[in-house]
Amino acid sequence: MRKKIVAGNWKMHKTGQEARDLFAVIGKMPFDHEKTTVVVLPPSIYLSVFAAMEKKQGLYLGAQNSYPVKEGAYTGEVSAYMLNSLGVEYCLVGHSERRKYFHETDTGCLEKVKVVLEQQMIPVLCVGEELQVREADKHFDHVKKQVLAATEGLSNTDMKRVVIAYEPVWAIGTGKTASTQQASEMHTFIRQLIHEKFDALVSSAVHILYGGSVNENNARELMSARDIDGVLVGGASLKADSFAKIIAAAE
Ligand code: PGA
C-alpha cells in the first residue's frame, strides 16, 4: 500500500517571519504519519531555519530546485549536496515554471534526478503538458517523452524512490483543475509506462502525485482515484487552514 504524499510548494512567497509562522503551524498539524507523508517546499533561503524548528514525525522538508554539481563556482546556485547536509529529504526536479522561465530540459532533469538520488534524497520529477498540447491530443506522447527522458538508465532500486508529479501546465495557478478522470487516466498511463520500462514491482512502488489548482474542495476526490498517490499543492499550501484540510483529505 502506497502512503499518500501531500506536498506544499510555496514557490517564491512569504517573508522570513511569515514563513516561520506558517511552518510553526504546519509543524503541529495532526495527521497519521503511517498513512500520510507531508512535505513542505519553501524558498531555499528558509530551509536551514525550518530544519532547526520542531516538526511532527512524517513532516519533511523539500527544496524547489537544486544544481547537479556538488560544489564549485556556480554563483547563486544551491546543490543537492548542501540540501542533504541540512536534512532536506525531497527536491523538485523540472517544475514547469523552471522549464518555462529557466529553460530546463529533459536531459537536464535526468542529471538532477541522478544527483538528488546520489545524495539520498527523493526527487519529485514534475511533468505535464501545455494547453495546446492537450488540445492537439498529444498529451500522452508529451508526458511519455518527459518521463522516459528524465528516468533513462536509472536502476530499479533508484526508480522506486522517484516521485512523479503530473502537473498539467494549464491547471497550474489557473483555478482550472484537471477532472479526476483526466488526472486519473494520465496517472494510470504513467504507471503502465514505468511497468513497461522497469517492472511491476517498481511501478507499484512509485508514487505519482497530481498538481494543478488543488484545493480543499477537490483534494479528496482526486486522491480517491486508484493511481493518484497524493498532491503537489501551490497556492492552497500558503494558507494554513486550506493546507490542513488537504492533509486531512489524504486520510
Ligand atoms: P497551484 O500550483 O496549486 O497553485 O496550481 C501547483 C504547482 O505548481 O506545484
Side-chain angles (χ1 to χ4, degrees), residues 43-225:
S44 59
I45 191 171
Y46 302 138
L47 285 165
S48 62
V49 178
F50 292 2
M53 285 170 71
E54 208 182 307
K55 47 191 163 304
K56 264 187 66 91
Q57 195 174 357
L59 173 59
Y60 298 95
L61 288 176
Q64 298 173 14
N65 183 38
S66 62
Y67 195 71
V69 170
K70 186 177 171 190
E71 57 190 354
Y74 300 97
T75 302
E77 294 298 316
V78 170
S79 72
Y81 171 71
M82 293 168 177
L83 294 167
N84 179 31
S85 76
L86 286 182
V88 174
E89 315 237 15
Y90 288 78
C91 186
L92 295 187
V93 175
H95 187 280
S96 66
E97 287 148 19
R98 304 269 342 150
R99 293 179 193 253
K100 180 174 171 195
Y101 301 121
F102 304 97
H103 316 294
E104 296 203 357
T105 61
D106 288 331
T107 327
C109 287
L110 173 60
E111 225 185 317
K112 290 187 180 185
V113 164
K114 285 186 181 160
V115 175
V116 169
L117 286 165
E118 271 165 30
Q119 290 301 323
Q120 309 307 322
M121 296 191 295
I122 298 175
V124 180
L125 171 66
C126 303
V127 297
E129 79 285 356
E130 294 80 12
L131 185 59
Q132 64 273 26
V133 175
R134 180 164 279 264
E135 283 173 350
D137 204 23
K138 299 240 161 51
H139 44 296
F140 289 110
D141 289 346
H142 182 88
V143 167
K144 176 176 181 178
K145 182 175 154 286
Q146 288 181 319
V147 171
L148 293 182
T151 57
E152 180 59 41
L154 295 188
S155 68
N156 285 13
T157 313
D158 275 347
M159 188 62 208
K160 275 189 199 164
R161 297 172 47 224
V162 174
V163 171
I164 294 176
Y166 170 57
E167 299 202 299
V169 178
W170 47 270
I172 297 180
T174 58
K176 241 197 262 170
T177 325
S179 68
T180 303
Q181 199 210 323
Q182 284 173 322
S184 187
E185 65 181 9
M186 183 59 86
H187 282 230
T188 304
F189 172 79
I190 294 171
R191 200 175 303 287
Q192 182 59 30
L193 197 62
I194 295 169
H195 186 164
E196 285 160 22
K197 192 175 170 198
F198 296 88
D199 65 20
L201 281 179
V202 176
S203 72
S204 64
V206 164
H207 285 79
I208 308 175
L209 314 184
Y210 169 79
S213 297
V214 172
N215 58 43
E216 67 255 45
N217 301 318
N218 57 29
R220 189 177 301 273
E221 186 184 323
L222 284 161
M223 285 189 274
S224 67

